[in-house]
Amino acid sequence: GGANLRIFQKMGKTVSGAELSTDLIKFANDHGIDVKYGTTEHVPEKAPLVIVQHVLEHLYQPGKFLKALHQKNVPNLFIGVPGMIDLMPSVQSAHISYFSMNTLEALCAKAGYKKVRMDYYRVNNYILGLFERSDDDLNFSYDQSAEVSNASRIITHFKLFNAAVALRGAIKKTLGLAK
């Protein structure tokens, strides 16, 4: 709804946004922030910075989205996505993809963006990264087997946790302790 843009607007910067939620568009416009319905088609050529927060995990082809920004000569991207680093993020039917720091960096490299800095919040594994446009051939590779192993470990832990919660509920019900 333009919350990320308000910070830059208050600094005297010209801001605009693209959004698919009509409620968020209305909220932003009601607060004086120019947000239009759509995606990359409303990003101006050579926009100095594009904030892509809570977006990539909802797209069937996030790489195509990033390549479209690259074709518009956008020099800098600030990306925020739910991560799958130490634990399973909140599973939502609206989320199509989950990222590790490696998979996000690889996706950006394939689209022509190199990592400037990336980090994550340990509390919720949310990944934040700053990427800059490059016309060089960016070959980012990582050990995919280690990535799969880590994801499997997280998913197993998630399943065990859910099984323990269900078992605890069944025990409480059996003992008459359930409310």
Side-chain angles (χ1 to χ4, degrees), residues 132-148:
E132 66 183 5
R133 187 179 190 282
S134 176
D135 289 320
D136 296 335
D137 185 21
L138 301 174
N139 289 324
F140 177 80
S141 62
Y142 59 94
D143 182 356
Q144 290 183 346
S145 64
E147 199 74 29
V148 169

Side-chain angles (χ1 to χ4, degrees), residues 83 85-90 119-127:
I85 297 168
D86 293 326
L87 52 91
M88 188 75 174
S90 62
D119 210 342
Y120 72 99
Y121 290 103
R122 289 195 183 276
V123 174
N124 63 2
N125 283 284
Y126 196 76
I127 301 171

Side-chain angles (χ1 to χ4, degrees), residues 55-118:
V55 173
L56 297 180
E57 65 272 19
H58 299 279
L59 302 177
Y60 285 106
Q61 295 179 316
K64 186 176 179 180
F65 177 86
L66 295 174
K67 286 177 183 175
L69 294 174
H70 190 271
Q71 290 171 345
K72 288 192 168 242
N73 295 308
V74 171
N76 300 290
L77 298 178
F78 180 78
I79 298 175
V81 294
M84 191 166 166
I85 297 168
D86 293 326
L87 52 91
M88 188 75 174
S90 62
V91 178
Q92 299 180 25
S93 60
H95 289 180
I96 296 163
S97 302
Y98 291 94
F99 298 90
S100 70
M101 292 174 74
N102 283 330
T103 58
L104 180 60
E105 187 172 353
L107 180 71
C108 289
K110 286 180 183 176
Y113 286 94
K114 67 180 178 179
K115 177 183 77 172
V116 174
R117 183 179 171 117
M118 191 170 17

